[in-house]
Amino acid sequence: MSYSAKKPTLDKDLEKLTGIEAAASLQSRRLFAPALALVFLFVAMIIASFYVTGGMGNTIIIAAAGIGAYLAINIGANDVANNVGPAVGSKALSIGGALIIAAIFESAGALIAGGDVVGTVSKGIIDPSRVASSEVFVNLMLAALISSALWVNLATWIGAPVSTTHAVVGGVTGSGIAAAGFAAVSWGTMGNIAASWVISPFLGGVIAALFLAFIKTFIIYQDDKVAAARRWVPMLIAIMTGAFSAYLAVKGLKKIVKIDLEAAILIGLGMAAAAYFITRPLIRKQSEGMENRNQSIRKLFRAPLIFSAALLSFAHGANDVANAIGPLAAIVHAIEFGEIASKVAIPLWVMLIGAFGISFGLLLFGPKLIRMVGEKITKLNPMRAYCVALSAAITVIVASGLGLPVSSTHIAVGAVFGVGFFREWYTKNSKRREAYVQKSTGVESFKKPEKSSKNRMLVRRASFMTIIAAWIITVPATALLSAAVFALLNAFVG
């Protein structure tokens, strides 16, 4: 009689236990980020409790601090992807490196240049004088905080980068209408914001496409790519340096020093000239011994991309931290002083909640949207990602000069779309590309791609439609949600 050492029942039980342990481990990893986020919300509420003492109003401040922290986390999870996504998608930065750089510079931008005064009614869309009392105003702002946070959370979950500025605007509009009627809304301001839905991505896409066309014409489809790169890359880096210098002067350093647009442009021109003369010998040295092919030339754009990701994050922290803490600062002021002010000072503890909340949201939940922007819309390499980053800075400068309210999210994502759609058009229609391929392959008659290849789409349409739909409904969705939340707060809080 043979004896088998194998015990089928025991083996099956062990396999089941192993499967259960693996599932439990996966589930625990999924719950880790939400658990940390919840801890941060409680910490924010504890911090607020040190600055308030007793009373129903102060209880509301503590609750509002938790909601403001929740919104800040969602802004970090959704909005910051636009700054570092192209660098990650082009492989210039790893996802870990991007998270670290963005977290550091977002916090620095918020704390150093985030502004010590913020508008209480989000860009003047609601007339405070029409709000009946400070109690009603507090409920209005609470509803705006809750609705915008929930909407940005939903957008992040479905993988759609949306404008958090528009979410807050929609929230304030909806609760403002519920509190004081349609007459309280500045519809001219709302019209400008609605116009920016089209203007922001269109400008971003066109500028990014123009720079990509320049790179293709003067570098990529040249016989001697290395010589062309030595000639033009320092110029492109100079343009980027000048654009970012002007961008930071106009949008990122308002708290430290007030600089008008004309002075910012002069600063940008000076920095561009300095960058050109500094980088020209560096690019020549870096390009020595390079192979005459696109993969080699792309290496020259990696350092500028990392630089741009850091500066975009700094400027974003300086500007968009107000989306998280503006309503919270307004609530604190209204409860402490019993009045509704058009502008209020930002307490340091409120600024800390906004700054660190954005960084926590980025570190815990940011990778999903970073990959969406950098990898799932269209294929990016360092040269294409450079065009996206440069477009973001230039578009903000142009829009500031024209007085147009634009969304940094819409600009950056529109630039990614612009790069992808331009590549589709260029592949099908460029005579220069056709002549270059014919010459480099030695084929007498360059054969046009077959119909299936010619119509190959380089922008993922599903992502395009999801993002556009999310953009269109952000303001009305948050407005309706905010009006409903305001009604509930009025009924139960008073």
Side-chain angles (χ1 to χ4, degrees), residues 104-237:
I104 291 171
F105 281 88
E106 284 281 337
S107 299
L111 294 173
I112 295 171
D116 52 5
V117 175
V118 67
T120 61
V121 287
S122 191
K123 302 186 186 299
I125 55 176
I126 295 292
D127 181 1
S129 65
R130 293 182 177 271
V131 181
S133 65
S134 60
E135 289 79 10
V136 173
F137 181 75
V138 167
N139 286 345
L140 186 159
M141 285 296 165
L142 272 175
L145 270 176
I146 294 169
S147 61
S148 52
L150 289 173
W151 175 253
V152 177
N153 196 339
L154 175 63
T156 304
W157 182 68
I158 65 174
V162 296
S163 169
T164 53
T165 302
H166 288 180
V168 174
V169 165
V172 173
T173 302
S175 56
I177 290 172
F182 285 91
V185 179
S186 172
W187 293 108
T189 301
M190 285 300 297
N192 289 336
I193 293 170
S196 78
W197 297 347
V198 178
I199 294 168
S200 297
F202 179 76
L203 275 178
V206 168
I207 292 173
L210 288 173
F211 275 101
L212 185 57
F214 180 90
I215 290 172
K216 283 182 176 293
T217 301
F218 293 100
I219 300 177
I220 293 177
Y221 292 122
Q222 291 290 320
D223 293 332
D224 191 341
K225 301 177 193 295
V226 175
R230 288 174 178 171
R231 183 181 307 113
W232 293 113
V233 170
M235 182 67 72
L236 291 168
I237 293 175

Side-chain angles (χ1 to χ4, degrees), residues 37-58:
L38 195 60
V39 169
F40 178 74
L41 302 191
F42 282 117
V43 169
M45 295 170 73
I46 292 169
I47 290 172
S49 70
F50 284 117
Y51 292 89
V52 298
T53 54
M56 181 62 183
N58 293 321

Side-chain angles (χ1 to χ4, degrees), residues 233-251:
V233 170
M235 182 67 72
L236 291 168
I237 293 175
I239 293 171
M240 171 176 273
T241 303
F244 275 107
S245 298
Y247 179 91
L248 286 175
V250 170
K251 305 293 286 186

Side-chain angles (χ1 to χ4, degrees), residues 58-371:
N58 293 321
T59 303
I60 292 174
I61 289 178
I62 294 172
I67 299 167
Y70 174 51
L71 176 58
I73 285 173
N74 282 291
I75 290 174
N78 190 290
D79 224 16
V80 183
N82 314 307
N83 306 325
V84 296
V88 171
S90 67
K91 305 296 189 292
L93 269 176
S94 66
I95 190 78
L99 289 172
I100 292 169
I101 286 174
I104 291 171
F105 281 88
E106 284 281 337
S107 299
L111 294 173
I112 295 171
D116 52 5
V117 175
V118 67
T120 61
V121 287
S122 191
K123 302 186 186 299
I125 55 176
I126 295 292
D127 181 1
S129 65
R130 293 182 177 271
V131 181
S133 65
S134 60
E135 289 79 10
V136 173
F137 181 75
V138 167
N139 286 345
L140 186 159
M141 285 296 165
L142 272 175
L145 270 176
I146 294 169
S147 61
S148 52
L150 289 173
W151 175 253
V152 177
N153 196 339
L154 175 63
T156 304
W157 182 68
I158 65 174
V162 296
S163 169
T164 53
T165 302
H166 288 180
V168 174
V169 165
V172 173
T173 302
S175 56
I177 290 172
F182 285 91
V185 179
S186 172
W187 293 108
T189 301
M190 285 300 297
N192 289 336
I193 293 170
S196 78
W197 297 347
V198 178
I199 294 168
S200 297
F202 179 76
L203 275 178
V206 168
I207 292 173
L210 288 173
F211 275 101
L212 185 57
F214 180 90
I215 290 172
K216 283 182 176 293
T217 301
F218 293 100
I219 300 177
I220 293 177
Y221 292 122
Q222 291 290 320
D223 293 332
D224 191 341
K225 301 177 193 295
V226 175
R230 288 174 178 171
R231 183 181 307 113
W232 293 113
V233 170
M235 182 67 72
L236 291 168
I237 293 175
I239 293 171
M240 171 176 273
T241 303
F244 275 107
S245 298
Y247 179 91
L248 286 175
V250 170
K251 305 293 286 186
L253 300 174
K254 291 183 290 187
K255 178 181 176 181
I256 300 171
V257 59
K258 184 69 175 176
I259 301 173
D260 60 29
L261 185 62
E262 291 76 14
I265 291 173
L266 289 175
I267 291 170
L269 290 173
M271 293 298 293
Y276 177 77
F277 290 110
I278 291 170
T279 58
R280 191 175 180 183
L282 295 176
I283 292 296
R284 175 169 290 277
K285 184 176 181 181
Q286 190 179 354
S287 63
E288 287 176 0
M290 270 190 174
E291 294 183 57
N292 188 38
R293 57 189 192 129
N294 292 340
Q295 286 83 348
S296 300
I297 303 303
R298 289 170 187 167
K299 297 175 184 176
L300 302 176
F301 288 87
R302 285 180 180 168
L305 270 177
I306 296 171
F307 176 76
S308 71
L311 290 185
L312 281 172
S313 296
F314 182 90
H316 180 270
N319 286 282
D320 282 29
V321 68
N323 290 333
I325 63 173
L328 175 56
I331 290 168
V332 172
H333 182 90
I335 290 175
E336 287 186 346
F337 298 96
E339 65 176 11
I340 305 170
S342 59
K343 288 187 178 294
V344 297
I346 304 174
L348 178 61
W349 66 269
V350 173
M351 181 65 79
L352 287 172
I353 288 173
F356 289 110
I358 289 174
S359 295
F360 265 105
L362 169 68
L363 292 170
L364 295 176
F365 306 105
K368 181 176 182 178
L369 266 293
I370 288 173
R371 291 190 180 96

